[in-house]
Amino acid sequence: MDIHEYQTKEILARFGVPSPKGGLAYSPEQAAYHAHEIGGNKWVVKAQIHSGGRGKAGGVKICDSESAVFDAANEMFGQRLVTEQTGPAGKVVYRVYVEEAVDIQRETYLALVLDRASERIMVVASREGGMEIEEIAANQPESIIRTTIDPAIGLLDFQAREIAFALKFAPSQIQDAVRILRGCYQAFRDMDATMVEINPLGELADGSIVALDAKLAFDDNALYRRPEISELRDKTQEDTREMQAADRGLSYVGLDGNIGCIVNGAGLAMATMDMIQLAGGQPANFLDIGGGASPDRVAKAFRLVRSDQNVEAVLVNIFAGINRCDWVAEGVVQALEAAPINIPVVVRLAGTNVKEGRQILARSGLPIIRAATLSEAADRVVTAWKNHKTQSGNAEAAV
Protein backbone atom coordinates (compact mmCIF):
# COMPACT_ATOMS: atom_id res chain seq x y z
CA MET A 1 0.00 0.00 0.00
CA ASP A 2 1.26 3.48 -0.93
CA ILE A 3 0.54 6.73 0.89
CA HIS A 4 0.89 10.40 0.02
CA GLU A 5 3.96 12.57 0.46
CA TYR A 6 2.50 14.59 3.32
CA GLN A 7 1.55 11.40 5.17
CA THR A 8 5.03 10.00 4.68
CA LYS A 9 6.63 13.15 6.06
CA GLU A 10 4.36 13.08 9.11
CA ILE A 11 5.41 9.48 9.84
CA LEU A 12 9.11 10.09 9.23
CA ALA A 13 9.00 13.16 11.48
CA ARG A 14 8.08 10.84 14.36
CA PHE A 15 11.36 9.03 13.72
CA GLY A 16 13.46 12.18 13.66
CA VAL A 17 13.55 12.84 9.91
CA PRO A 18 13.01 16.59 9.34
CA SER A 19 11.24 18.20 6.39
CA PRO A 20 10.20 21.77 5.50
CA LYS A 21 7.10 23.23 7.14
CA GLY A 22 3.93 22.50 5.23
CA GLY A 23 0.18 22.08 5.33
CA LEU A 24 -2.44 20.00 3.51
CA ALA A 25 -5.19 21.73 1.54
CA TYR A 26 -8.44 20.52 0.00
CA SER A 27 -9.30 23.88 -1.57
CA PRO A 28 -7.47 26.90 -3.02
CA GLU A 29 -8.55 28.94 0.00
CA GLN A 30 -6.96 26.43 2.36
CA ALA A 31 -3.79 26.45 0.29
CA ALA A 32 -3.49 30.25 0.49
CA TYR A 33 -4.21 30.14 4.23
CA HIS A 34 -1.43 27.59 4.78
CA ALA A 35 1.00 29.81 2.86
CA HIS A 36 0.10 32.70 5.17
CA GLU A 37 0.40 30.45 8.22
CA ILE A 38 3.81 29.08 7.16
CA GLY A 39 5.14 32.56 6.50
CA GLY A 40 7.99 33.64 4.27
CA ASN A 41 7.78 34.89 0.71
CA LYS A 42 8.02 31.74 -1.39
CA TRP A 43 6.17 28.42 -1.28
CA VAL A 44 5.89 25.16 -3.19
CA VAL A 45 2.46 23.76 -4.11
CA LYS A 46 2.53 20.00 -4.70
CA ALA A 47 -0.25 17.82 -6.08
CA GLN A 48 -0.77 14.80 -3.85
CA ILE A 49 -1.05 11.72 -6.05
CA HIS A 50 0.54 8.29 -5.79
CA SER A 51 3.18 8.83 -8.45
CA GLY A 52 6.64 10.20 -9.02
CA GLY A 53 7.46 12.62 -11.79
CA ARG A 54 4.79 15.10 -10.70
CA GLY A 55 6.95 18.11 -11.51
CA LYS A 56 7.24 17.19 -15.19
CA ALA A 57 3.46 16.81 -15.37
CA GLY A 58 2.74 20.22 -13.83
CA GLY A 59 2.03 18.90 -10.36
CA VAL A 60 4.68 20.96 -8.56
CA LYS A 61 4.72 24.77 -8.73
CA ILE A 62 6.85 27.39 -6.97
CA CYS A 63 4.88 30.49 -5.95
CA ASP A 64 6.06 33.89 -4.68
CA SER A 65 2.74 35.23 -3.36
CA GLU A 66 -0.32 33.94 -1.56
CA SER A 67 -2.46 34.75 -4.58
CA ALA A 68 -0.10 32.69 -6.75
CA VAL A 69 -0.50 29.80 -4.29
CA PHE A 70 -4.29 30.14 -4.63
CA ASP A 71 -4.07 30.11 -8.43
CA ALA A 72 -1.67 27.16 -8.55
CA ALA A 73 -3.85 25.08 -6.23
CA ASN A 74 -7.00 26.07 -8.11
CA GLU A 75 -5.42 24.89 -11.35
CA MET A 76 -4.35 21.56 -9.86
CA PHE A 77 -7.61 20.54 -8.18
CA GLY A 78 -9.52 18.14 -10.40
CA GLN A 79 -6.66 17.96 -12.89
CA ARG A 80 -5.68 14.52 -14.16
CA LEU A 81 -1.90 14.28 -13.98
CA VAL A 82 -0.27 11.85 -16.39
CA THR A 83 3.25 10.72 -15.51
CA GLU A 84 5.47 7.83 -16.57
CA GLN A 85 4.30 5.94 -13.49
CA THR A 86 0.55 6.55 -13.80
CA GLY A 87 0.21 5.41 -17.40
CA PRO A 88 -2.06 7.17 -19.90
CA ALA A 89 -5.06 7.11 -17.52
CA GLY A 90 -3.29 9.43 -15.05
CA LYS A 91 -4.47 10.24 -11.54
CA VAL A 92 -6.86 12.98 -10.44
CA VAL A 93 -5.69 15.58 -7.90
CA TYR A 94 -8.01 15.94 -4.88
CA ARG A 95 -5.56 17.48 -2.40
CA VAL A 96 -2.40 19.58 -2.49
CA TYR A 97 0.45 20.12 -0.06
CA VAL A 98 1.76 23.64 0.49
CA GLU A 99 5.33 23.76 1.74
CA GLU A 100 7.84 26.47 2.46
CA ALA A 101 10.40 26.95 -0.29
CA VAL A 102 13.94 26.41 0.97
CA ASP A 103 17.37 27.37 -0.33
CA ILE A 104 18.71 24.06 -1.65
CA GLN A 105 22.46 23.78 -2.09
CA ARG A 106 22.69 20.10 -3.01
CA GLU A 107 20.38 17.13 -3.57
CA THR A 108 21.06 13.48 -2.79
CA TYR A 109 19.06 10.26 -3.07
CA LEU A 110 18.29 7.89 -0.20
CA ALA A 111 16.12 4.78 -0.06
CA LEU A 112 15.64 1.64 1.97
CA VAL A 113 14.13 -1.28 0.08
CA LEU A 114 13.43 -4.94 0.66
CA ASP A 115 16.05 -6.91 -1.28
CA ARG A 116 14.51 -10.31 -1.90
CA ALA A 117 17.71 -11.76 -3.35
CA SER A 118 19.66 -11.30 -0.12
CA GLU A 119 16.57 -11.43 2.14
CA ARG A 120 17.79 -8.24 3.74
CA ILE A 121 16.91 -4.58 3.91
CA MET A 122 19.16 -2.67 1.54
CA VAL A 123 20.12 1.00 1.69
CA VAL A 124 20.41 2.50 -1.79
CA ALA A 125 21.87 6.00 -1.93
CA SER A 126 23.41 8.33 -4.48
CA ARG A 127 25.10 11.71 -4.55
CA GLU A 128 22.79 12.55 -7.48
CA GLY A 129 19.28 13.25 -6.19
CA GLY A 130 16.21 14.90 -7.65
CA MET A 131 15.64 12.32 -10.39
CA GLU A 132 14.28 8.79 -10.58
CA ILE A 133 16.63 6.02 -9.47
CA GLU A 134 16.30 4.45 -12.93
CA GLU A 135 17.77 7.61 -14.46
CA ILE A 136 20.58 7.63 -11.90
CA ALA A 137 21.37 3.97 -12.58
CA ALA A 138 21.42 4.60 -16.34
CA ASN A 139 23.35 7.88 -16.36
CA GLN A 140 25.58 7.70 -13.29
CA PRO A 141 25.74 4.09 -12.06
CA GLU A 142 29.04 4.73 -10.30
CA SER A 143 27.30 7.14 -7.91
CA ILE A 144 25.00 4.46 -6.45
CA ILE A 145 25.90 3.24 -2.95
CA ARG A 146 24.47 -0.04 -1.65
CA THR A 147 24.62 -1.32 1.92
CA THR A 148 22.90 -4.44 3.24
CA ILE A 149 21.40 -4.45 6.74
CA ASP A 150 21.27 -7.63 8.77
CA PRO A 151 17.75 -7.75 10.26
CA ALA A 152 19.05 -9.48 13.39
CA ILE A 153 21.31 -6.52 14.16
CA GLY A 154 19.79 -3.52 12.43
CA LEU A 155 21.50 -0.49 10.93
CA LEU A 156 24.74 0.04 12.80
CA ASP A 157 26.25 3.47 13.41
CA PHE A 158 29.40 2.70 11.44
CA GLN A 159 27.29 1.71 8.42
CA ALA A 160 25.31 4.95 8.63
CA ARG A 161 28.53 6.96 8.92
CA GLU A 162 30.05 5.18 5.92
CA ILE A 163 26.97 6.03 3.84
CA ALA A 164 27.01 9.65 5.02
CA PHE A 165 30.69 10.06 4.12
CA ALA A 166 30.11 8.35 0.75
CA LEU A 167 27.35 10.90 0.06
CA LYS A 168 29.98 13.65 0.55
CA PHE A 169 28.35 15.29 3.56
CA ALA A 170 30.63 17.63 5.49
CA PRO A 171 32.00 16.42 8.88
CA SER A 172 29.63 18.84 10.65
CA GLN A 173 26.66 17.21 8.87
CA ILE A 174 27.54 13.57 9.52
CA GLN A 175 25.65 13.36 12.82
CA ASP A 176 22.46 14.72 11.23
CA ALA A 177 22.82 12.38 8.24
CA VAL A 178 23.28 9.39 10.58
CA ARG A 179 20.18 10.43 12.53
CA ILE A 180 18.15 10.56 9.30
CA LEU A 181 19.42 7.18 8.15
CA ARG A 182 18.61 5.56 11.49
CA GLY A 183 15.19 7.22 11.51
CA CYS A 184 14.41 5.85 8.04
CA TYR A 185 15.49 2.37 9.13
CA GLN A 186 13.39 2.49 12.29
CA ALA A 187 10.35 3.64 10.30
CA PHE A 188 10.92 0.81 7.80
CA ARG A 189 11.21 -1.77 10.58
CA ASP A 190 8.52 -0.54 12.95
CA MET A 191 5.89 0.26 10.31
CA ASP A 192 6.25 -2.97 8.27
CA ALA A 193 7.31 -0.96 5.24
CA THR A 194 8.63 -2.37 1.98
CA MET A 195 10.20 0.91 0.86
CA VAL A 196 11.29 4.24 2.31
CA GLU A 197 12.49 6.73 -0.29
CA ILE A 198 13.68 10.31 0.17
CA ASN A 199 14.27 11.95 -3.16
CA PRO A 200 15.67 14.44 -2.90
CA LEU A 201 17.33 14.63 0.48
CA GLY A 202 18.26 18.29 0.48
CA GLU A 203 21.27 20.05 1.92
CA LEU A 204 20.24 23.65 2.70
CA ALA A 205 22.21 26.89 2.78
CA ASP A 206 22.41 26.80 6.58
CA GLY A 207 23.94 23.30 6.48
CA SER A 208 20.82 21.44 7.66
CA ILE A 209 19.58 18.30 5.89
CA VAL A 210 15.85 17.78 5.24
CA ALA A 211 13.58 15.45 3.30
CA LEU A 212 12.27 17.50 0.38
CA ASP A 213 10.15 14.68 -1.01
CA ALA A 214 9.46 11.25 0.46
CA LYS A 215 7.58 8.01 -0.20
CA LEU A 216 6.56 5.09 1.97
CA ALA A 217 5.13 1.78 0.80
CA PHE A 218 3.80 -0.87 3.17
CA ASP A 219 3.41 -4.63 3.19
CA ASP A 220 -0.27 -5.31 2.54
CA ASN A 221 -0.03 -8.58 4.46
CA ALA A 222 0.95 -6.72 7.63
CA LEU A 223 -1.79 -4.09 7.57
CA TYR A 224 -3.96 -6.13 9.94
CA ARG A 225 -1.57 -5.17 12.74
CA ARG A 226 -1.13 -1.57 11.54
CA PRO A 227 -4.65 -0.08 11.68
CA GLU A 228 -3.18 3.42 11.88
CA ILE A 229 -1.50 2.79 8.51
CA SER A 230 -4.60 1.23 6.95
CA GLU A 231 -6.50 4.42 7.70
CA LEU A 232 -4.08 6.35 5.47
CA ARG A 233 -5.21 4.45 2.36
CA ASP A 234 -6.53 6.72 -0.41
CA LYS A 235 -8.85 4.69 -2.63
CA THR A 236 -9.16 7.55 -5.13
CA GLN A 237 -5.57 6.80 -6.17
CA GLU A 238 -6.16 3.10 -6.82
CA ASP A 239 -7.40 1.20 -9.85
CA THR A 240 -11.09 0.58 -9.09
CA ARG A 241 -10.83 -3.06 -10.06
CA GLU A 242 -7.73 -3.67 -7.94
CA MET A 243 -9.35 -1.85 -5.02
CA GLN A 244 -12.50 -3.97 -5.19
CA ALA A 245 -10.41 -7.14 -5.36
CA ALA A 246 -8.26 -6.11 -2.38
CA ASP A 247 -11.38 -5.37 -0.34
CA ARG A 248 -12.48 -8.94 -1.02
CA GLY A 249 -9.11 -10.47 -0.19
CA LEU A 250 -8.22 -11.13 -3.84
CA SER A 251 -5.12 -10.15 -5.82
CA TYR A 252 -5.93 -8.41 -9.11
CA VAL A 253 -3.74 -6.82 -11.76
CA GLY A 254 -5.33 -4.90 -14.63
CA LEU A 255 -3.78 -5.07 -18.11
CA ASP A 256 -4.62 -3.77 -21.57
CA GLY A 257 -5.87 -6.87 -23.41
CA ASN A 258 -9.28 -8.54 -23.70
CA ILE A 259 -8.99 -12.02 -22.17
CA GLY A 260 -9.63 -12.16 -18.44
CA CYS A 261 -7.70 -14.72 -16.38
CA ILE A 262 -8.69 -16.38 -13.10
CA VAL A 263 -5.85 -18.42 -11.62
CA ASN A 264 -4.40 -19.58 -8.32
CA GLY A 265 -0.85 -18.43 -7.75
CA ALA A 266 1.27 -15.67 -9.24
CA GLY A 267 3.57 -18.11 -11.06
CA LEU A 268 0.65 -19.83 -12.75
CA ALA A 269 -0.77 -16.40 -13.64
CA MET A 270 2.45 -15.42 -15.42
CA ALA A 271 2.56 -18.73 -17.29
CA THR A 272 -1.11 -18.37 -18.25
CA MET A 273 -0.61 -14.87 -19.65
CA ASP A 274 2.46 -16.00 -21.60
CA MET A 275 0.52 -18.89 -23.14
CA ILE A 276 -2.35 -16.59 -24.10
CA GLN A 277 0.08 -14.30 -25.89
CA LEU A 278 1.79 -17.22 -27.62
CA ALA A 279 -1.64 -18.33 -28.83
CA GLY A 280 -2.23 -14.89 -30.33
CA GLY A 281 -4.32 -13.22 -27.61
CA GLN A 282 -3.79 -10.47 -25.06
CA PRO A 283 -4.64 -10.80 -21.33
CA ALA A 284 -6.96 -8.11 -19.95
CA ASN A 285 -6.06 -8.87 -16.34
CA PHE A 286 -5.30 -11.67 -13.98
CA LEU A 287 -6.96 -12.44 -10.69
CA ASP A 288 -5.32 -14.73 -8.15
CA ILE A 289 -7.94 -16.45 -6.00
CA GLY A 290 -5.25 -17.76 -3.63
CA GLY A 291 -5.34 -21.03 -1.73
CA GLY A 292 -8.38 -22.71 -0.25
CA ALA A 293 -10.86 -20.65 -2.26
CA SER A 294 -14.52 -21.42 -1.52
CA PRO A 295 -17.20 -21.50 -4.25
CA ASP A 296 -18.43 -18.07 -3.10
CA ARG A 297 -14.92 -16.66 -3.37
CA VAL A 298 -14.52 -18.06 -6.88
CA ALA A 299 -17.89 -16.62 -7.89
CA LYS A 300 -16.86 -13.18 -6.60
CA ALA A 301 -13.61 -13.43 -8.55
CA PHE A 302 -15.52 -14.35 -11.69
CA ARG A 303 -17.90 -11.42 -11.32
CA LEU A 304 -15.01 -9.04 -10.69
CA VAL A 305 -13.14 -10.09 -13.84
CA ARG A 306 -16.32 -9.87 -15.86
CA SER A 307 -17.03 -6.34 -14.58
CA ASP A 308 -14.12 -5.10 -16.72
CA GLN A 309 -15.74 -3.85 -19.92
CA ASN A 310 -12.63 -4.77 -21.93
CA VAL A 311 -12.99 -8.48 -21.16
CA GLU A 312 -14.32 -10.39 -24.19
CA ALA A 313 -13.44 -13.91 -23.01
CA VAL A 314 -12.52 -15.57 -19.70
CA LEU A 315 -9.98 -18.28 -18.99
CA VAL A 316 -10.12 -20.07 -15.63
CA ASN A 317 -6.87 -21.97 -15.08
CA ILE A 318 -6.59 -23.81 -11.77
CA PHE A 319 -3.89 -26.19 -10.61
CA ALA A 320 -5.33 -27.31 -7.31
CA GLY A 321 -3.26 -28.31 -4.33
CA ILE A 322 -4.69 -26.52 -1.31
CA ASN A 323 -7.56 -25.49 -3.56
CA ARG A 324 -10.12 -28.02 -4.75
CA CYS A 325 -11.26 -28.32 -8.35
CA ASP A 326 -14.82 -29.14 -7.31
CA TRP A 327 -15.05 -25.90 -5.30
CA VAL A 328 -13.73 -23.92 -8.23
CA ALA A 329 -16.19 -25.59 -10.59
CA GLU A 330 -19.08 -24.87 -8.21
CA GLY A 331 -18.00 -21.21 -8.05
CA VAL A 332 -17.88 -20.89 -11.84
CA VAL A 333 -21.29 -22.50 -12.22
CA GLN A 334 -22.71 -20.37 -9.41
CA ALA A 335 -21.46 -17.16 -11.07
CA LEU A 336 -22.75 -18.08 -14.55
CA GLU A 337 -26.16 -19.20 -13.27
CA ALA A 338 -26.59 -16.01 -11.24
CA ALA A 339 -25.52 -13.73 -14.09
CA PRO A 340 -25.36 -15.40 -17.52
CA ILE A 341 -22.85 -13.86 -19.90
CA ASN A 342 -22.54 -13.91 -23.67
CA ILE A 343 -18.78 -14.24 -23.97
CA PRO A 344 -16.69 -17.44 -24.17
CA VAL A 345 -15.62 -19.10 -20.93
CA VAL A 346 -12.82 -21.66 -20.95
CA VAL A 347 -12.02 -23.70 -17.83
CA ARG A 348 -8.95 -25.85 -17.26
CA LEU A 349 -8.79 -27.80 -14.01
CA ALA A 350 -5.98 -29.98 -12.68
CA GLY A 351 -5.05 -31.36 -9.27
CA THR A 352 -7.16 -32.08 -6.18
CA ASN A 353 -10.66 -33.40 -6.97
CA VAL A 354 -10.21 -32.72 -10.67
CA LYS A 355 -12.60 -35.54 -11.68
CA GLU A 356 -15.38 -34.16 -9.48
CA GLY A 357 -14.76 -30.64 -10.78
CA ARG A 358 -15.03 -31.69 -14.41
CA GLN A 359 -18.22 -33.59 -13.67
CA ILE A 360 -19.78 -30.49 -12.09
CA LEU A 361 -18.98 -28.45 -15.20
CA ALA A 362 -20.35 -31.16 -17.50
CA ARG A 363 -23.58 -31.58 -15.54
CA SER A 364 -24.24 -27.83 -15.40
CA GLY A 365 -25.37 -27.68 -19.02
CA LEU A 366 -23.70 -24.27 -19.34
CA PRO A 367 -21.72 -23.39 -22.50
CA ILE A 368 -18.38 -23.80 -20.75
CA ILE A 369 -15.44 -24.82 -22.95
CA ARG A 370 -13.28 -27.34 -21.11
CA ALA A 371 -9.55 -27.98 -21.60
CA ALA A 372 -7.15 -30.53 -20.13
CA THR A 373 -3.86 -28.63 -20.43
CA LEU A 374 -2.75 -25.02 -20.22
CA SER A 375 -1.64 -24.99 -23.85
CA GLU A 376 -5.00 -26.34 -24.96
CA ALA A 377 -6.85 -23.86 -22.75
CA ALA A 378 -4.92 -20.91 -24.18
CA ASP A 379 -5.55 -22.03 -27.77
CA ARG A 380 -9.24 -22.59 -27.10
CA VAL A 381 -9.85 -19.27 -25.36
CA VAL A 382 -8.09 -17.30 -28.12
CA THR A 383 -9.96 -19.22 -30.83
CA ALA A 384 -13.29 -18.78 -29.03
CA TRP A 385 -12.60 -15.07 -28.56
CA LYS A 386 -11.81 -14.58 -32.24
CA ASN A 387 -14.93 -16.50 -33.33
CA HIS A 388 -17.10 -14.55 -30.90
CA LYS A 389 -15.67 -11.26 -32.12
CA THR A 390 -16.33 -12.24 -35.75
CA GLN A 391 -19.90 -13.28 -34.97
CA SER A 392 -20.54 -10.07 -33.04
CA GLY A 393 -19.18 -8.03 -35.93
CA ASN A 394 -21.37 -9.84 -38.41
CA ALA A 395 -24.44 -9.35 -36.22
CA GLU A 396 -23.75 -5.61 -35.94
CA ALA A 397 -23.27 -5.36 -39.73
CA ALA A 398 -26.57 -7.16 -40.33
CA VAL A 399 -28.38 -4.68 -38.09
Side-chain angles (χ1 to χ4, degrees), residues 15 20 26 48 59 61 69 77 86 89 95 121 143 160 163 195 199 225 231 250 265 309 331 344 346 356 363 372:
F15 292 90
Y26 290 92
Q48 295 299 287
K61 295 183 182 295
V69 169
F77 281 117
T86 64
R95 60 190 88 178
I121 298 169
S143 74
I163 296 167
M195 181 191 73
N199 185 26
R225 62 184 183 190
E231 292 175 1
L250 301 167
Q309 297 303 311
V346 177
E356 292 85 345
R363 288 198 303 265

Side-chain angles (χ1 to χ4, degrees), residues 20-233:
K21 290 187 294 184
L24 181 67
Y26 290 92
S27 69
E29 291 81 6
Q30 269 189 316
Y33 173 78
H34 281 308
H36 177 78
E37 190 177 44
I38 292 167
N41 54 19
K42 190 172 287 189
W43 305 268
V44 184
V45 180
K46 301 180 178 181
Q48 295 299 287
I49 62 170
H50 289 174
S51 173
R54 294 171 297 169
K56 296 177 182 178
V60 178
K61 295 183 182 295
I62 299 175
C63 306
D64 56 9
S65 68
E66 292 177 21
S67 61
V69 169
F70 181 98
D71 293 339
N74 191 48
E75 183 180 344
M76 288 182 193
F77 281 117
Q79 181 182 355
R80 187 176 293 275
L81 292 186
V82 179
T83 72
E84 292 182 359
Q85 295 181 13
T86 64
K91 292 183 182 294
V92 179
V93 180
Y94 294 106
R95 60 190 88 178
V96 301
Y97 188 57
V98 180
E99 194 171 61
E100 65 174 330
V102 292
D103 187 1
I104 306 167
Q105 300 298 301
R106 189 170 70 99
E107 296 180 345
T108 55
Y109 177 94
L110 174 64
L112 282 79
V113 296
L114 183 62
D115 180 37
R116 299 186 186 279
S118 63
E119 298 181 351
R120 298 287 188 272
I121 298 169
M122 180 175 286
V123 178
V124 181
S126 172
R127 296 184 296 275
E128 306 297 330
M131 54 182 173
E132 301 299 324
I133 189 62
E134 294 83 5
E135 294 180 46
I136 299 173
N139 301 328
Q140 291 148 321
E142 71 285 350
S143 74
I144 297 180
I145 303 155
R146 294 180 175 88
T147 301
T148 301
I149 303 172
D150 188 329
I153 301 172
L155 178 66
L156 299 174
D157 284 345
F158 85 89
Q159 291 178 301
R161 285 194 295 271
E162 284 182 344
I163 296 167
F165 278 115
L167 290 174
K168 304 296 185 184
F169 284 116
S172 61
Q173 297 172 313
I174 296 300
Q175 186 174 353
D176 288 340
V178 168
R179 187 181 302 113
I180 288 172
L181 278 159
R182 291 188 64 83
C184 288
Y185 171 72
Q186 289 168 1
F188 190 108
R189 180 195 63 196
D190 296 352
M191 296 287 103
D192 287 311
T194 56
M195 181 191 73
V196 178
E197 182 184 64
I198 300 178
N199 185 26
L201 180 65
E203 178 184 336
L204 307 187
D206 62 3
S208 60
I209 308 170
V210 297
L212 299 176
D213 193 4
K215 294 180 186 176
L216 262 171
F218 300 93
D219 184 350
D220 293 347
N221 295 315
L223 290 178
Y224 73 94
R225 62 184 183 190
R226 303 286 175 214
E228 74 281 10
I229 299 299
S230 298
E231 292 175 1
L232 301 179
R233 182 181 178 190

